[in-house]
Structure formats: C-alpha cells, structure tokens
Amino acid sequence: MDGIDERLKKYKYSSPKSIEQILALYKVEVQPYENEKLKVKWDQFQDSFSAGDCAYYFTTDEKSWASLAGLKGYIIFRDAEAIEVFIVARS
C-alpha cells in the first residue's frame, strides 16, 4: 500500500482479492438488496478491473461507525493508485 493517497491509508483492508473473489462477496453482501442504480455502479466498478490490478475490501474503524461516519466497500488499485471504488454501506 506504499505510495497510495494518504486519505485511503486510514481504512482497514482485506488481503488482495481477485475480481472473482470480489464478485463472490458482492453476491452475498450486496446483490440480495440490489436495485438498478446499484447494478449500474457495480457494472462500472467491475468493468474497471484489469489484469494486474489489486482489489480490496475495506472498512473504516469502529469509531467512524459509532460517529455515523462509517464506510465500507471495495476498491481497485492499479500501480498504487485507486482507480475505482464501490461503496457497500455507510452510516
């Protein structure tokens, strides 16, 4: 995670995931609640993924959630630059 935007360093990240692993998480966590707007955003996120990219599941810390500033979702990094974010939930 060296060289990434400082604002993104405060989040907790999972280990790197393939697009297939992110899709599996999406099917469980988001798809049951999906609407057309969310589907369009997901398709855009998925289409942004290229070979060599790293995808991560991320979340803010517990303090952020308690302060109604929580955020979680998926993020794609390419060459240490965040290129696409898909927000799953916010408080």
Side-chain angles (χ1 to χ4, degrees):
M1 303 294 280
D2 294 334
I4 68 166
D5 186 310
E6 288 298 317
R7 295 170 296 174
L8 300 174
K9 287 186 176 182
K10 64 183 176 183
Y11 300 135
K12 296 183 218 173
Y13 292 92
S14 67
S15 58
K17 309 264 185 233
S18 68
I19 192 63
E20 292 81 14
Q21 290 170 311
I22 293 292
L23 180 56
L25 288 170
Y26 175 83
K27 285 182 178 182
V28 171
E29 190 167 36
V30 180
Q31 200 168 34
Y33 313 102
E34 186 177 72
N35 58 40
E36 189 57 36
K37 185 176 177 181
L38 199 57
K39 173 112 176 65
V40 169
K41 288 181 179 184
W42 172 254
D43 290 343
Q44 178 183 354
F45 177 83
Q46 188 174 345
D47 290 346
S48 298
F49 200 86
S50 295
D53 290 349
C54 290
Y56 295 86
Y57 177 83
F58 72 91
T59 186
T60 53
D61 61 19
E62 292 80 16
K63 184 178 176 183
S64 296
W65 286 98
S67 301
L68 299 178
L71 193 65
K72 68 179 176 175
Y74 312 114
I75 189 166
I76 298 171
F77 286 99
R78 182 176 298 143
D79 299 325
E81 181 181 345
I83 61 156
E84 192 71 49
V85 176
F86 181 82
I87 304 300
V88 172
R90 61 180 77 214
S91 63

